[in-house]
Amino acid sequence: MTSSPRRPIMNEGLNHHSNGNNSKEQIEVGHRFTDEPRKGNVDRGRLLNGSRQTTVVQYAVRPCTPSHNTIKESPLSSDAIFRQSHAGLFNLCIVVLVAVNSRLIIENLMKYGLLINTNFWFSSRSLRDWPLLMCCLSLPIFSLAAFIVEKFAWRKRISESAVLTLHLIITTSTILYPVFMILRFDSAVLSGVTLMLFACVNWLKLVSFVHTNYDMRLIVNSIGKEEKKSCFSSTEYFYDVNFNSLAYFMVAPTLCYQISYPRTTCIRKGWVLRQTIKFSIYTGVMGFIIEQYINPIVRNSQHPLKGDFLYAIERVLKLSVPNLYVWLCMFYCFFHLWLNILAEVLRFGDREFYKDWWNAKTVDEYWRLWNMPVHRWVVRHIYFPCIRSGIPKGGAHFISFFMSAVFHELCIAVPCHIFKFWAFLGIMLQVPLVMVTDFLHHKFQNSMVGNMMFWCFFSILGQPMSVLLYYHDLMNRKVNTTNQDPHQ
């Protein structure tokens, strides 16, 4: 009579137990499968034919098998927490974020209803902003003037001092002309901000164009003819300022002028269409958040520097979440979608418009990662020229932040007709924050501390405070203007 296939298996296990050496081997086998239970389960799933391996997996762990063999830390202990995968906790955060924001959306709709108002974006008042539109369309005149001056300079028709004077007049007029138009005509804030952004970009591009050509003439005039041939390529050596090169630079998604740029081979029309659709969707999301969340919060708030301190903190924290969403959407729309669309249409190859600024450990690292076109311009035309002039690194950093603060103030204060230097002070306060976050990063040797400090100071407290300050000053200005002019 043939025995069943399971009895010899069990007997075999008992025989191993009765033998001392075999028992020791059996316990070692048990250790191996205890430490790697998942691997054993996989093997057991694959071997279902009653083989010897199946027997070992099923019956190796005896009651006398040790369960604790090595020193191990708890997964959430300080020594082991960063060696674990936190994908499940990340998914939990996403679920909680969706749930909390869904509740806020429902609560907002129940309290205010649908607040979308097209007058915020397009109104009859916007039609009165045609002088600003004409000013924006006339900005290329300054580029043409700079090109003519450079043409005369390369042909040595005028002296370098005259070239410097003319360029100083042209670049200064590039900023003062839009400022005068905005202050002269009481335009909508959005129209004024748009014009000032175009004017500042135009100024940065012209400075780069002028500075690059000046530096090339300086090098050409300072070395001999044979050295020129060895130092420059044929294109650079026979370089003559070209209008087509300047025109391409003025519309390209870069602020740094050079003779040629890396170019792609073709334009992906389908890709451009998809990105344009995304751009429209995210722009609509920004408008919805501003109208539905930010406007009611700021209307129901007091001036943060004149009311109760705790009330001001509560308003700032309540405004921080929708303000952060708008800022993130703005970043994605402009730096990712719009600049990539423009680069694709112009076949511009270098599309590193930003880096992983969200992982910034310090405020200084954030400013070096989040806006690469401006960062490259500052490094090329401010920071290193200051270093070559003998200015210490700290002084060069301060000058760079000062220039950034001036342009932030121009882009916000001029359209709002408010000159209280909130934006200027906000940028200049980044200088001590750079030192504080650098100190904390070196003190704790932990990237998470600096990253949390960056998010807290920059996004949770700084930006909402600026929004409240400018909103209330703007409302006070409108009230004072109405009281002074009773016919309005």
Side-chain angles (χ1 to χ4, degrees):
M1 182 177 178
T2 306
S3 60
S4 63
R6 298 188 63 86
R7 288 188 62 82
I9 295 174
M10 296 182 66
N11 292 336
E12 186 179 1
L14 293 174
N15 291 334
H16 278 290
H17 177 63
S18 60
N19 190 313
N21 294 331
N22 290 341
S23 178
K24 182 178 180 180
E25 295 175 359
Q26 184 71 12
I27 292 175
E28 291 176 353
V29 173
H31 291 176
R32 183 173 65 253
F33 286 101
T34 302
D35 292 338
E36 299 178 352
R38 294 185 179 180
K39 181 179 178 182
N41 290 337
V42 173
D43 293 340
R44 181 174 58 186
R46 293 177 179 175
L47 303 172
L48 299 177
N49 298 323
S51 64
R52 181 179 177 85
Q53 282 184 306
T54 305
T55 304
V56 173
V57 173
Q58 289 180 345
Y59 302 103
V61 181
R62 306 287 305 199
C64 61
T65 302
S67 298
H68 308 283
N69 304 302
T70 59
I71 299 175
K72 298 179 181 178
E73 295 286 345
S74 298
L76 296 181
S77 63
S78 58
D79 294 332
I81 187 171
F82 295 110
R83 297 197 298 266
Q84 307 294 325
S85 173
H86 301 93
L89 294 177
F90 179 77
N91 293 334
L92 174 63
C93 292
I94 296 297
V95 172
V96 172
L97 187 66
V98 172
V100 171
N101 284 275
S102 299
R103 186 195 67 81
L104 292 176
I105 292 174
I106 295 173
E107 180 184 16
N108 182 274
L109 292 175
M110 293 174 61
K111 185 176 182 179
Y112 299 108
L114 192 62
L115 298 177
I116 300 300
N117 184 6
T118 56
N119 289 334
F120 180 79
W121 306 101
F122 307 102
S123 64
S124 58
R125 185 181 177 185
S126 300
L127 300 177
R128 293 165 23 201
D129 294 340
W130 63 268
L132 272 65
L133 176 62
M134 299 305 297
C135 176
C136 186
L137 295 177
S138 62
L139 288 178
I141 294 176
F142 299 101
S143 304
L144 180 62
F147 167 76
I148 294 173
V149 172
E150 282 299 319
K151 199 74 173 177
F152 285 136
W154 276 97
R155 295 182 179 181
K156 298 183 178 181
R157 303 285 180 85
I158 53 179
S159 63
E160 286 294 334
S161 58
V163 171
L164 179 62
T165 302
L166 290 174
H167 279 314
L168 185 62
I169 295 174
I170 292 172
T171 53
T172 304
S173 301
T174 304
I175 290 293
L176 294 183
Y177 172 47
V179 170
F180 170 78
M181 294 296 291
I182 294 173
L183 297 179
R184 174 66 178 81
F185 300 94
D186 190 15
S187 61
V189 174
L190 187 61
S191 302
V193 171
T194 303
L195 176 58
M196 283 308 305
L197 287 175
F198 273 104
C200 291
V201 169
N202 197 50
W203 186 89
L204 295 172
K205 285 176 175 284
L206 286 182
V207 169
S208 180
F209 172 72
V210 171
H211 197 183
T212 302
N213 279 277
Y214 170 77
D215 190 53
M216 292 180 66
R217 286 197 305 273
L218 193 64
I219 296 175
V220 168
N221 295 331
S222 62
I223 59 179
K225 185 174 181 181
E226 296 298 327
E227 292 178 341
K228 293 177 188 177
K229 293 182 180 180
S230 61
C231 293
F232 294 96
S233 64
S234 58
T235 304
E236 293 171 329
Y237 178 67
F238 297 104
Y239 170 76
D240 187 17
V241 61
N242 184 275
F243 182 77
N244 292 333
S245 175
L246 175 61
Y248 180 83
F249 166 65
M250 295 305 295
V251 295
T254 180
L255 299 176
C256 295
Y257 177 77
Q258 60 190 57
I259 299 173
S260 61
Y261 297 94
R263 305 287 295 274
T264 57
T265 56
C266 63
I267 300 175
R268 298 171 293 176
K269 299 181 178 62
W271 185 89
V272 172
L273 178 61
R274 291 193 299 272
Q275 303 307 308
T276 305
I277 294 174
K278 289 181 182 179
F279 181 82
S280 303
I281 293 174
Y282 279 94
T283 303
V285 171
M286 281 194 295
F288 174 79
I289 297 175
I290 292 173
E291 282 286 286
Q292 195 71 32
Y293 292 93
I294 294 182
N295 283 348
I297 293 175
V298 295
R299 288 196 194 105
N300 298 329
S301 64
Q302 300 175 359
H303 197 285
L305 300 182
K306 297 179 181 179
D308 181 66
F309 177 74
L310 291 179
Y311 178 81
I313 294 297
E314 187 272 337
R315 290 288 96 180
V316 168
L317 293 177
K318 187 173 183 178
L319 184 61
S320 62
V321 175
N323 181 82
L324 178 61
Y325 291 162
V326 169
W327 184 68
L328 292 176
C329 288
M330 180 277 300
F331 163 79
Y332 185 74
C333 282
F334 182 76
F335 286 96
H336 183 73
L337 295 177
W338 171 248
L339 292 183
N340 273 285
I341 291 172
L342 187 61
E344 186 69 25
V345 172
L346 297 174
R347 297 193 297 112
F348 188 82
D350 186 2
R351 303 182 185 184
E352 191 181 46
F353 305 120
Y354 58 91
K355 293 184 179 179
D356 57 336
W357 56 265
W358 47 88
N359 294 324
K361 305 175 186 63
T362 62
V363 173
D364 178 60
E365 187 176 2
Y366 161 77
W367 285 109
R368 288 187 282 106
L369 296 177
W370 100 281
N371 189 340
M372 294 307 297
V374 171
H375 171 69
R376 292 191 182 101
W377 187 93
V378 170
V379 169
R380 188 183 187 194
H381 300 291
I382 294 182
Y383 182 77
F384 278 111
C386 289
I387 297 297
R388 285 192 294 269
S389 300
I391 299 176
K393 289 185 177 180
H397 273 108
F398 182 84
I399 294 173
S400 301
F401 275 102
F402 181 83
M403 288 291 298
S404 177
V406 169
F407 280 99
H408 277 81
E409 182 69 21
L410 285 174
C411 291
I412 300 177
V414 173
C416 294
H417 297 242
I418 298 172
F419 298 95
K420 293 191 175 182
F421 300 100
W422 298 126
F424 179 85
L425 292 175
I427 298 300
M428 292 308 296
L429 285 176
Q430 304 293 313
V431 177
L433 277 180
V434 167
M435 295 185 289
V436 170
T437 53
D438 284 344
F439 170 77
L440 292 175
H441 177 61
H442 293 298
K443 176 73 174 178
F444 295 99
Q445 296 294 324
N446 190 336
S447 60
M448 291 186 63
V449 174
N451 188 256
M452 288 188 291
M453 290 285 292
F454 152 70
W455 283 112
C456 180
F457 283 111
F458 192 82
S459 300
I460 304 301
L461 297 178
Q463 292 183 4
M465 179 65 76
S466 300
V467 171
L468 289 177
L469 288 171
Y470 274 104
Y471 174 80
H472 286 286
D473 288 339
L474 182 61
M475 291 298 103
N476 292 335
R477 172 184 168 273
K478 289 185 177 180
V479 171
N480 295 333
T481 303
T482 304
N483 292 335
Q484 292 175 2
D485 188 2
H487 298 288
Q488 286 187 350

